[in-house]
Amino acid sequence: MINRNRLSVNIDGIVVGGQAPVVIQSMTNTDTADVESTVTQVLDLWKAGSEMVRITVNNELSAKAVPEIKKKLLEQGCNVPLIGDFHFNGHKLLTLYPDCAKALSKYRINPGNVGKGSKRDDQFNQMIQIAIDNDKPVRIGVNWGSLDQDLLAEMMDKNALSDNPLNSIDLMREVLIESALRSADAAVKLGLAKSKIIISCKTSDTQDLIYVYEQLQKRCSFPLHLGLTEAGIGTKGIVASAASMGYLLQKGIGDTIRISLTPEPGENRNKEVIVAQELLQTMNIRSFVPLVIACPGCGRTTSTFFQELAQQTQTFLRENMSSWKEKYPGVEEMKVAVMGCVVNGPGESKMANIGISLPGTGEIPVAPVYENGQKTVTLKGDNIANDFKKIIIQYIEKNYK
């Protein structure tokens, strides 16, 4: 594990920062006032592996719903920390609905959306005082799309008078950083412990994100929540998030992460959790579920069977992890290979914990299985998929106790 050298924050038993593992966060997209749909989605995200879940608290109905949501989750054995996402009216909602303030595990405060002019400081102070009174941590969450306009104007004026003025991009980056650091400093001066503060500065551009977080790493010791905001839909969002966050994580920057994907129509919200897990796991930072190594296919693999088997195997592994992780410690680090022809099939299968090398076009229709580098059995016929699943189960029972 890379030494991230941050302060640590305890969020209802989940430690963020210090030498703790990088924590995966997600966010619901339901109307929080709809208790049943919000509970259902939080449960889905939690079961998928989200270790903290953020919910929108934007009006009185949603604030009223939070204690009931928390109660129903606990009744179903789900103690995942709930984070309240506040903009514009958080000071009012947390004051009017103290049960909401108590039920939430953390408050997200956006300095750019706390208030304007003379009201800004009072409303920010009010939210921080509520956090202190309830012994709750906060995330000072600055966002590129909602910068503090007063701070922006101040720094633009100062920059204009400088002998070496920054260009517009560098200036905006500095405003992001300054907004987060000034707000965190203000919270500390009000009495909020440093061990109760996480900060983030989100952008939608990968190079901006990299620059800003490298600076935050140097200029403060607060834990950093990492995420590329408005990353996009489909492969664009995945690639952009992985490119920027993977680079930062490799340098030890980032204590919690969220992959902010725009769901495709009808797509399960859990995808952002799975992508976050796979990013951390492919970088050998954390392990969550056995991953399948599979070849991309070529003219030697005109059958789609190896593709179908790879997909079925990955789904099978993920669906069973909830029971396996308790019974078989370390199984999440297992590597499974599903290969499509003789070129790399046997070699990759031998290097995995367990692997199968399927026949390519024109090859003998048999599929050798390798366990810990040794061929143990050769499968053939119409039941290869089910036979391979049984062999995986037997391998787990034998090797993980």
Side-chain angles (χ1 to χ4, degrees), residues 238-285:
I238 295 172
V239 171
S241 295
S244 56
M245 295 164 67
Y247 173 87
L248 291 167
L249 288 165
Q250 183 64 26
K251 297 188 74 172
I253 301 173
D255 300 282
T256 76
I257 67 168
R258 182 195 171 202
I259 305 293
S260 300
L261 298 179
T262 303
E264 296 182 29
E267 186 175 50
N268 194 303
R269 189 71 165 178
N270 297 353
K271 186 174 183 179
E272 67 176 53
V273 179
I274 293 170
V275 172
Q277 289 180 332
E278 291 180 349
L279 173 61
L280 293 175
Q281 188 152 351
T282 55
M283 295 184 68
N284 295 324
I285 293 174

Side-chain angles (χ1 to χ4, degrees), residues 7-18 20 23 52 81 104-106 134-138 193-198 223 256:
L7 294 168
S8 61
V9 177
N10 191 309
I11 306 171
D12 284 355
I14 301 293
V15 179
V16 174
V23 174
M52 296 190 291
L104 292 169
S105 300
K106 185 177 74 171
N134 286 278
D135 195 29
K136 303 291 183 180
V138 301
K194 288 185 176 181
S195 61
K196 293 289 186 182
I197 298 173
I198 297 171
T256 76

Side-chain angles (χ1 to χ4, degrees), residues 20 29 79 106 109 126 165 188 286 312 396:
N29 61 356
N79 62 350
K106 185 177 74 171
I109 303 174
Q126 191 173 342
V188 171
R286 287 186 68 185
Q312 290 173 20
I396 292 170

